[in-house]
Amino acid sequence: MTEKQSNTYQALVKFLKKEYKYKNVDKKIKESRVLFINNSNEYALIEVQIQDSTETWSNIEMTAQKNFMNQKIKKLKIVISENENNLTEDDTEILVVTTPEKLKNNLIKFLPLISKLNESYISIEKVKENKIQDEELNDEIKLNNFKIALNKIKNNNISFTWIILFFFIIMPVSFTIIGLFMNLNTLQEVAYGSGGPEKPSYLLTVWWQAPMIIFGGTNQTLTIAGGQWWRIFTYGFSAMDSANGILFSALMIFLLTTSLFSISKITEIIIGNVWKLAISFVLAYITLGFVVSATLPYTITSGSLPIIGIMVGILSMNISGETSPIARFGKVKVIWPIILIILAIFNSQDQLSSFSVLMSGIIFGSIFAGLVKKPVKEWTWRENILILFLIIFIVVGIVFVVTLKNAPAYNYNVITALQFYAKNNIGGNFDHYNQIIAKIGWIGRFEQGFWNDNFPMQSTPVTVNNIASIFDSISSFSLGMKL
């Protein structure tokens, strides 16, 4: 059986069913043999088969004969041969052996509409030929695009990724290194006795998290309660958590930042449109900053790790369902950042918060990448679902903001950061930061450069939830994103 015979057989079967309304006697049409029946046609039975077919059926002709009440009927048998043309007629059966090329001429006498089959067959062959050519062309185009993409990756032919490199790799690494050498391991406090202020004492703090706040990290205490909304835009630039020591932190910082640069390059090249990447990234970045600031009261979000989550989400949305070589290459490359994310979560002191931040980054990256992937006019139900999820997240964040009434628990990393700002006159003096502390709802104040937990209030004090001791704070509120 040749491919031409098979194609002719399939086309003829469809033609007989469509034009002459024949129905197959057997339950299903076999690959190389079929028996059709239609009482209203001149040939009540038509058998079509490919020459030398080995497919058989049992008693279906006897079953078909029962429909004619022993009346004499004409049967047309068509055998599609590779190179034989022959016609045999008797009173009960007409046997036509024909090649695909002579099909029209040999059957026009018995099936006048056969000319339509010939046109359909030719068009099917042309479509098939064109399809093969298109597939070959598409494969060649895909291969060339893959080679071009690899060349761009090799030569760092990128633009938006250089912005990522500066703001979300170089700056966080630099601030983390600076934070390691800042004298932030003590918080100066002044105690008040019956005779007035006493000598300042020094309180131990979780010093490695203070740089995360100082350089722009975001949390609920300062961003939402304190009104420092600008932190939603700066958390990605800030220092990273270095609580695991210099060596381990340095190793994780190296792995995370190189991974972020690599995945950013691949994402930019796969998308192929800098503006689409930039818009989806910026929107995901701002939305993530707002949602985690509003909903995670004891988490400091900062550094490169949330950015990796966003980029993984953007890349995943753009390669999902794609089979091109560059898409498959991207699927392989996204595995390493995901492994690092899992490792970072397991090494975090607050695994639930870390997981929440990273998953939020992946979700928002995917949502905005999906929305900018197509023009608004081409959106389908899939984009509507993405919009629905986005609205739910934003509404939840807004609910947390408007329902925040009680003051958060003392966070001495925040107090240390504000003390550092005031001492260096960054953004204002101590009076300015005392106003922020009052806005947060804490009882303590800065006096003469020192922190005073026993500041006398002139009005009814604001209720503070879970005012803990310094050592309780260290054990209970180990905040922030940990590498």
Side-chain angles (χ1 to χ4, degrees):
M1 181 195 309
T2 65
E3 184 179 5
K4 185 176 291 187
Q5 286 176 283
S6 177
N7 290 339
T8 305
Y9 168 80
Q10 294 174 14
L12 184 57
V13 166
K14 293 179 181 179
F15 163 78
L16 292 172
K17 293 176 68 176
K18 181 179 180 181
E19 300 296 336
Y20 286 95
K21 310 302 179 185
Y22 279 103
K23 294 182 180 180
N24 52 303
V25 178
D26 202 2
K27 291 183 178 180
K28 64 177 183 177
I29 298 175
K30 298 181 180 295
E31 292 183 359
S32 60
R33 190 179 186 189
V34 64
L35 180 64
F36 284 125
I37 184 172
N38 189 336
N39 297 359
S40 60
N41 287 341
E42 180 181 359
Y43 303 100
L45 288 176
I46 289 186
E47 180 182 346
V48 181
Q49 72 173 58
I50 297 176
Q51 194 174 44
D52 300 326
S53 170
T54 58
E55 290 184 304
T56 61
W57 53 58
S58 59
N59 300 324
I60 66 169
E61 290 193 60
M62 294 178 60
T63 302
Q65 288 288 350
K66 293 179 181 180
N67 291 275
F68 308 115
M69 300 295 183
N70 296 320
Q71 297 177 10
K72 290 185 177 181
I73 59 170
K74 286 186 178 181
K75 178 183 177 183
L76 176 62
K77 183 175 181 180
I78 305 170
V79 178
I80 303 174
S81 174
E82 184 177 2
N83 48 32
E84 182 182 350
N85 291 282
N86 190 21
L87 175 63
T88 304
E89 295 187 58
D90 58 34
D91 294 338
T92 59
E93 182 178 280
I94 299 173
L95 173 62
V96 179
V97 180
T98 178
T99 60
E101 293 79 8
K102 296 290 185 177
L103 189 69
K104 175 183 176 181
N105 293 334
N106 291 335
L107 292 179
I108 192 70
K109 176 181 176 182
F110 311 105
L111 300 170
L113 299 178
I114 196 67
S115 58
K116 293 184 178 181
L117 170 69
N118 192 43
E119 295 169 0
S120 301
Y121 175 71
I122 293 172
S123 63
I124 289 173
E125 289 296 310
K126 286 183 177 179
V127 168
K128 186 176 179 181
E129 182 180 353
N130 292 336
K131 185 177 180 181
I132 293 173
Q133 292 177 350
D134 290 341
E135 288 177 353
E136 292 176 350
L137 180 61
N138 287 335
D139 290 340
E140 185 177 354
I141 291 173
K142 289 178 180 179
L143 184 59
N144 288 335
N145 289 340
F146 180 59
K147 291 178 180 179
I148 293 171
L150 288 181
N151 188 54
K152 288 182 178 180
I153 294 173
K154 181 179 179 180
N155 297 322
N156 289 327
N157 190 6
I158 47 182
S159 54
F160 185 75
T161 302
W162 294 119
I163 299 176
I164 297 290
L165 173 66
F166 177 76
F167 286 104
F168 303 107
I169 297 178
I170 294 177
M171 289 181 68
V173 170
S174 301
F175 290 148
T176 303
I177 295 173
I178 294 171
L180 291 172
F181 296 97
M182 293 176 70
N183 185 24
L184 297 172
N185 59 331
T186 57
L187 172 66
Q188 294 175 314
E189 182 197 49
V190 60
Y192 278 75
S194 58
E198 299 175 356
K199 184 178 179 180
S201 60
Y202 297 89
L203 301 178
L204 180 64
T205 65
V206 190
W207 61 272
W208 57 81
Q209 290 183 336
M212 298 167 65
I213 293 290
I214 289 173
F215 293 107
T218 183
N219 69 345
Q220 191 184 82
T221 301
L222 281 176
T223 305
I224 308 300
Q228 293 189 328
W229 294 95
W230 52 268
R231 293 182 179 273
I232 290 175
F233 302 94
T234 61
Y235 69 91
F237 315 155
S238 184
M240 293 177 276
D241 196 336
S242 55
N244 285 320
I246 295 177
L247 291 179
F248 184 80
S249 297
L251 175 62
M252 287 302 299
I253 288 171
F254 173 77
L255 293 175
L256 288 172
T257 52
T258 53
S259 178
L260 174 57
F261 185 72
S262 175
I263 197 172
S264 179
K265 285 199 301 183
I266 295 170
T267 304
E268 180 175 349
I269 290 169
I270 287 178
I271 294 177
N273 188 313
V274 175
W275 284 109
K276 284 186 177 181
L277 174 59
I279 291 172
S280 56
F281 175 84
V282 171
L283 292 177
Y285 176 82
I286 296 173
T287 306
L288 174 64
F290 167 71
V291 172
V292 298
S293 299
T295 59
L296 300 177
Y298 304 123
T299 299
I300 301 173
T301 304
S302 66
S304 300
L305 201 55
I307 310 304
I308 293 181
I310 294 174
M311 296 305 296
V312 167
I314 295 174
L315 177 60
S316 299
M317 178 58 72
N318 281 277
I319 62 178
S320 61
E322 297 291 333
T323 58
S324 63
I326 188 62
R328 288 196 288 265
F329 179 74
K331 291 175 183 178
V332 174
K333 286 296 184 179
V334 80
I335 295 175
W336 174 238
I338 292 176
I339 293 174
L340 286 178
I341 287 174
I342 295 172
L343 179 63
I345 290 174
F346 277 109
N347 282 274
S348 174
Q349 292 179 0
D350 189 352
Q351 295 180 0
L352 180 60
S353 294
S354 299
F355 178 79
S356 300
V357 170
L358 292 167
M359 284 305 300
S360 297
I362 294 174
I363 291 171
F364 293 137
S366 300
I367 288 175
F368 286 107
L371 293 178
V372 303
K373 197 173 182 179
K374 299 178 182 178
V376 177
K377 294 181 179 180
E378 298 179 12
W379 281 6
T380 62
W381 61 270
R382 295 181 178 86
E383 285 73 25
N384 293 333
I385 291 177
L386 294 178
I387 290 288
L388 178 61
F389 277 114
L390 179 62
I391 292 174
I392 291 173
F393 278 104
I394 294 177
V395 168
V396 169
I398 293 173
V399 170
F400 270 79
V401 171
V402 298
T403 58
L404 182 63
K405 295 180 180 179
N406 292 332
Y410 274 139
N411 185 331
Y412 284 93
N413 288 286
V414 172
I415 296 171
T416 301
L418 296 182
Q419 186 181 49
F420 176 84
Y421 287 153
K423 279 186 175 181
N424 294 278
N425 202 25
I426 300 174
N429 54 22
F430 281 103
D431 290 337
H432 171 73
Y433 289 105
N434 276 333
Q435 294 174 9
I436 293 178
I437 290 171
K439 191 173 183 179
I440 293 172
W442 289 340
I443 295 175
R445 296 290 186 273
F446 291 114
E447 280 198 335
Q448 301 176 7
F450 305 118
W451 175 250
N452 176 20
D453 267 342
N454 301 313
F455 187 82
M457 301 298 294
Q458 300 299 323
S459 59
T460 303
V462 179
T463 302
V464 178
N465 294 333
N466 302 322
I467 301 179
S469 65
I470 301 301
F471 297 103
D472 287 337
S473 298
I474 296 172
S475 60
S476 301
F477 303 114
S478 299
L479 314 176
M481 298 297 301
K482 183 179 175 192
L483 298 177

